Amino acid sequence: MKPREILPGVAYVGAPDFDRRLFDALIPLPDGTSYNAYLVRGRDKTVLVDAVEPAKLGVLEDYLADVPRIDLVVSNHTEQDHSGGLPWLLQRYPGALVLASEPAKPMLADHLGLDPARIRAVADGERLDLGGKTLRFVYTPWVHWPETMSTYLEEDGVLFSCDFFGAHIAQTDLFVDGADCIMAEAKRYYAEIMMPFRKIVQKNLDKIKDLDIRMIAPSHGPIHRDPASIIAAYRDWSDDRPHNNVVIAWATMHGSTALMVERLIAGLVERGVTVHPFNMASADIGQLAMTLVDAATIVVAAPTVHVGPHPAVYNAVVLANALRPKARFASILGSYGWAGRLVELVKAAMPNLKVELLPPVVAKGLPKPADLAAVDALAEAIAAKHKEAGLF
Ligand code: FEO
């Protein structure tokens, strides 16, 4: 296949992966993903921006079959789904050098065994003239590894952003077609990958705000020809202010916890609060992560297994703790058989969440009228906190 031109002198040479269903043995990929790479040809130099996942190297090889010379390969990010093709590229093009950020240089040697002599570190803001096309390297750290950078093609206003602004979706069309459908995919991706670095995302958005960006070409998912939309979405997602939403991660064994969850949902809805409940026995953790992006309150509702929280719900707590959402409040519901350390263990599992803990409600066996009244009081407390915070 010939490189697919997206602009004069700029072509797509990446690979959709329609069949992949899991990333990092953790993240569900309901729509597959893609590993994008781009060929930029100036009068004097030809550059490849990002390589691909090793499993899809054959696609890149095919695209490059009639490309006799590549002078430089920009590695915006060391993770193997973008750098896995580098060892092959350096063999295929013995004169080529890899360009990467300063912190990436040792990482490329560590992760891929690249010869350091074939890697040149570029400085933040450094420009490279290819002959009629100029690349500018912009360090955008922690989106989502410490070494990540973006590459800006000045004449065409293209930002090659790698994971930043990406989405796990496989499709044959190269461009975003309809912002609405890509935003859900992009939000899911942001939630899973970028959310723990929300504050640094804000800084990186500030850093690129004065660039004349006319196109964002990420290394997962389609290319944005309306960059303002995805940049505005990132502003909202990374902003400190949550929405008037509650996420409930719950499970039930004999129905007692379910009764409390149903009561809480009803109480919150009555008070004008949006609720996203996830039964962790079958929930898609990507969907859970996505709703955590905006939630003001997280409620964990679990029966005890022996004396600890049900493991499916406990996993959700561990995930939320790792993703560090912007939520301001949390609470715990549950039911136990004979004894329980539910509250103590859930609290201990979420040290990264900077939340005010609203009074937990834990019932012995079936929730009694007093327990259900306490659930109603919790709904009232959550709604009041949301109001006080100006969320509605
Ligand atoms: Fe798509 Fe962080 O790799």
Side-chain angles (χ1 to χ4, degrees), residues 21-346:
R21 284 292 166 268
L22 208 54
F23 202 90
D24 292 343
L26 175 68
I27 297 169
L29 301 178
D31 299 301
T33 189
S34 69
Y35 320 106
N36 303 340
Y38 302 92
L39 202 57
V40 182
R41 297 187 222 230
R43 277 191 311 275
D44 308 321
K45 287 188 173 69
T46 298
V47 173
L48 181 72
V49 178
D50 289 330
V52 296
E53 163 80 33
K56 290 291 175 186
L57 187 54
V59 178
L60 181 64
E61 289 179 24
D62 193 30
Y63 272 125
L64 298 182
D66 295 327
V67 178
R69 204 182 95 192
I70 286 179
D71 302 286
L72 300 157
V73 183
V74 172
S75 176
N76 281 321
H77 175 28
T78 308
E79 197 167 11
Q80 288 87 337
D81 50 321
H82 309 291
S83 66
L86 290 177
W88 175 81
L89 282 160
L90 292 185
Q91 272 191 336
R92 163 92 163 85
Y93 300 101
L97 284 181
V98 174
L99 302 183
S101 70
E102 191 70 56
K105 193 172 174 182
M107 292 176 77
L108 284 165
D110 285 342
H111 288 268
L112 293 146
L114 297 190
D115 175 359
R118 302 283 305 272
I119 309 169
R120 180 165 84 75
V122 292
D124 187 17
E126 184 176 329
R127 298 167 75 231
L128 178 71
D129 182 6
L130 311 181
K133 295 215 180 279
T134 311
L135 298 181
R136 194 190 311 176
F137 305 103
V138 183
Y139 280 24
T140 44
W142 291 107
V143 288
H144 61 121
W145 279 16
E147 90 303 2
T148 47
M149 69 173 189
S150 299
T151 300
Y152 177 62
L153 175 55
E154 292 184 353
E155 289 77 3
D156 299 297
V158 180
L159 188 73
F160 299 104
S161 57
C162 201
D163 282 344
F164 199 23
F165 304 118
H168 280 313
I169 179 167
Q171 58 179 54
T172 57
D173 292 349
L174 296 184
F175 296 98
V176 169
D177 179 17
D180 286 352
C181 72
I182 192 62
M183 282 309 166
E185 302 284 355
K187 186 175 187 181
R188 175 188 269 263
Y189 187 80
Y190 166 87
E192 294 160 339
I193 306 293
M194 304 290 166
M195 186 156 59
F197 312 106
R198 189 171 62 81
K199 292 284 185 187
I200 306 177
V201 167
Q202 292 174 0
K203 285 186 189 157
N204 283 324
L205 292 173
D206 288 343
K207 191 163 181 183
I208 63 166
K209 79 176 181 345
D210 294 327
L211 296 177
D212 172 22
I213 299 173
R214 281 163 267 153
M215 191 180 278
I216 292 180
S219 291
H220 293 296
I223 298 165
H224 296 268
R225 285 184 287 203
D226 171 22
S229 295
I230 185 71
I231 291 172
Y234 260 65
R235 280 270 177 218
D236 177 46
W237 300 334
S238 62
D239 186 71
D240 294 337
R241 185 184 157 85
H243 296 186
N244 178 30
N245 295 350
V246 174
V247 167
I248 306 178
W250 68 281
T252 198
M253 290 162 71
H254 301 288
S256 296
T257 305
L259 285 174
M260 300 169 84
V261 168
E262 282 162 19
R263 184 79 169 216
L264 181 64
I265 293 171
L268 290 168
V269 170
E270 249 173 37
R271 291 167 175 83
V273 178
T274 302
V275 188
H276 297 286
F278 289 90
N279 182 338
M280 296 313 302
S282 58
D284 170 347
I285 60 166
Q287 285 282 346
L288 171 68
M290 205 158 88
T291 52
L292 286 171
V293 168
D294 305 312
T297 298
I298 300 169
V299 175
V300 175
T304 52
V305 173
H306 304 303
V307 296
H310 189 289
V313 180
Y314 199 59
N315 281 346
V317 177
V318 171
L319 180 72
N321 184 63
L323 294 178
R324 299 169 182 251
K326 66 179 85 162
R328 297 184 185 173
F329 313 103
S331 192
I332 301 163
L333 295 183
S335 164
Y336 63 94
W338 58 91
R341 295 172 62 212
L342 174 68
V343 171
E344 173 195 340
L345 291 172
V346 168

Side-chain angles (χ1 to χ4, degrees), residues 353-383:
L353 300 185
K354 304 301 173 214
V355 289
E356 177 185 345
L357 188 69
L358 304 177
V361 185
V362 181
K364 184 171 186 183
L366 268 177
K368 318 296 181 297
D371 300 315
L372 295 175
V375 173
D376 293 342
L378 177 60
E380 181 60 33
I382 291 171

